[in-house]
Amino acid sequence: MSYRIKHTGNKTPADHEGVKRRIMTIPENPPHGSTCDLHVHTTESDGTDTPEEVVSRALSLGLGAVAITDHDTVKGIQRAVRAAAGRLVVVPGVEMSTQDGDREVHILGYFIERDNRALLETLGEMHRRRRERMGEIVRLLRQYGVPIEQERIEALAGKGAVGRPHIARVLMEMGVVDSIEEAFRRFLGKECPAYVPRARFPAAAAVRLIREAGGVSVLAHPGLTHSEGIIDKLLRSGLGGIEVEYPEHTAEQRAVFRRFVSRCGLIATGGSDYHGPDDRFPLGAEVVPYTVVQQLWAASGRMDV
């Protein structure tokens, strides 16, 4: 099963003239600190901190900027912007779950227009299919003898994008597993009893969609998903960067990705992939200098926030 990309042609005259108009600006120097975490999730997807709690935690850590990059949704961005109230730079972002062949690929989008119609329609379809996938996982778990309740998963996810981590947390609540890692190892990971592949959305299409939404696309944690082999293909679609600094990247992997960045003229980004205080990686576990935020903003076609 694959997605159909909708192109709405919602460009302004300035776009057609090749002019980038920006209502949004970012400060020359960050108002709070000089280091930035550019990979952060909230309760709008599978994080456990609300957008407001993320901002509060970032301020307490002295971060200069955070990127709200929830899975397949942009709903947490405005809440974070309001909570920051100018004390912290909030980078509008998204993390899109995509495929290239049989390989899972995650694409980060930065400085996206969060009201872009084509982007919102695509994310809405991804949200619907996430919930269908959850129902199938629940069915398989029950078939395997685990009496998990779909209602509890939905309550935990709220209105946000539901994901396997929500199911893993319910399995922990039930006492079936002791950790999220165990839930994936025993039930939810590939080749496990309740694994259900996600609907395929092409990685290259996500790169193009992010660009059409005024943003800059970045290949997320390529060392984790073993997706470095498709960098050249994504470059042809307009890839803008690679997430080099990531908690699970080895020194050797980081060196390889830096060479890619240097050779291809890309932006090297980084972040913790923060999902909450009880997750493996705390907020700020990986940071980059504020100059990276400036590079992403300069490379974007942002119109407003």
Side-chain angles (χ1 to χ4, degrees):
M1 185 178 293
S2 60
Y3 289 83
R4 176 175 296 176
I5 312 297
K6 294 183 179 180
H7 299 280
T8 58
N10 54 347
K11 292 181 179 288
T12 67
D15 293 320
H16 291 297
E17 295 166 8
V19 177
K20 291 182 180 179
R21 294 189 302 107
R22 288 191 180 93
I23 297 171
M24 175 195 181
T25 60
I26 62 170
E28 183 176 349
N29 297 299
H32 194 65
S34 60
T35 56
C36 312
D37 190 334
L38 300 183
H39 193 157
V40 178
H41 298 276
T42 77
T43 48
E44 290 295 342
S45 62
D46 56 353
T48 58
D49 276 358
T50 65
E52 294 82 3
E53 288 168 336
V54 165
V55 168
S56 176
R57 200 178 297 276
L59 288 169
S60 71
L61 292 171
L63 295 177
V66 292
I68 303 300
T69 55
D70 279 313
H71 292 287
D72 307 325
T73 183
V74 296
K75 292 181 179 178
I77 296 170
Q78 184 58 32
R79 290 173 60 186
V81 170
R82 284 198 298 265
R87 298 171 296 164
L88 178 77
V89 175
V90 175
V91 177
V94 68
E95 182 174 7
M96 297 186 68
S97 308
T98 75
Q99 297 280 133
D100 182 74
D102 293 330
R103 182 189 291 114
E104 183 176 324
V105 180
H106 288 204
I107 303 293
L108 293 159
Y110 293 108
F111 288 111
I112 51 171
E113 299 165 8
R114 65 173 183 271
D115 59 352
N116 179 274
R117 193 185 315 161
L119 177 66
L120 290 179
E121 288 177 352
T122 299
L123 295 181
E125 178 66 7
M126 296 177 85
H127 183 89
R128 183 182 69 80
R129 295 194 182 191
R130 274 179 171 271
R131 291 193 172 269
E132 290 178 353
R133 184 190 189 201
M134 177 198 66
E136 180 62 13
I137 292 173
V138 166
R139 186 188 69 78
L140 290 173
L141 284 169
R142 289 175 178 168
Q143 185 175 303
Y144 195 72
V146 179
I148 192 168
E149 294 296 331
Q150 184 165 329
E151 291 76 13
R152 177 56 190 149
I153 301 168
E154 291 175 345
L156 198 62
K159 295 181 180 179
V162 67
R164 286 180 295 171
H166 293 116
I167 300 172
R169 290 181 194 131
V170 174
L171 291 175
M172 287 176 62
E173 288 180 357
M174 296 171 62
V176 176
V177 298
D178 293 326
S179 66
I180 289 176
E181 290 76 18
E182 183 185 355
F184 274 80
R185 187 174 64 251
R186 289 179 55 192
F187 298 106
L188 304 175
K190 283 188 176 181
E191 300 180 4
C192 292
Y195 176 73
V196 177
R198 63 166 49 91
R200 296 174 182 271
F201 187 84
V207 168
R208 291 191 294 271
L209 183 64
I210 288 166
R211 187 59 190 168
E212 290 171 6
V216 181
S217 60
V218 171
L219 179 61
H221 44 61
L224 180 65
T225 52
H226 307 291
S227 53
E228 59 269 34
I230 69 164
I231 292 175
D232 286 331
K233 179 190 294 187
L234 296 181
L235 280 170
R236 294 193 291 273
S237 296
L239 184 72
I242 298 175
E243 189 173 46
V244 175
E245 309 303 330
Y246 186 77
E248 292 191 75
H249 281 173
T250 66
E252 292 77 12
Q253 287 173 325
R254 295 175 197 233
V256 169
F257 302 145
R258 288 192 191 103
R259 286 196 292 271
F260 266 109
V261 165
S262 178
R263 175 172 65 86
C264 302
L266 300 173
I267 300 171
T269 73
S272 63
D273 201 359
Y274 178 70
H275 282 74
D278 297 326
D279 196 35
R280 294 173 296 167
F281 309 123
L283 188 66
E286 289 284 355
V287 294
V288 292
Y290 186 68
T291 52
V292 175
V293 175
Q294 293 172 317
Q295 289 171 343
L296 289 167
W297 182 80
S300 76
R302 293 286 296 123
M303 300 296 293
D304 60 1
V305 172

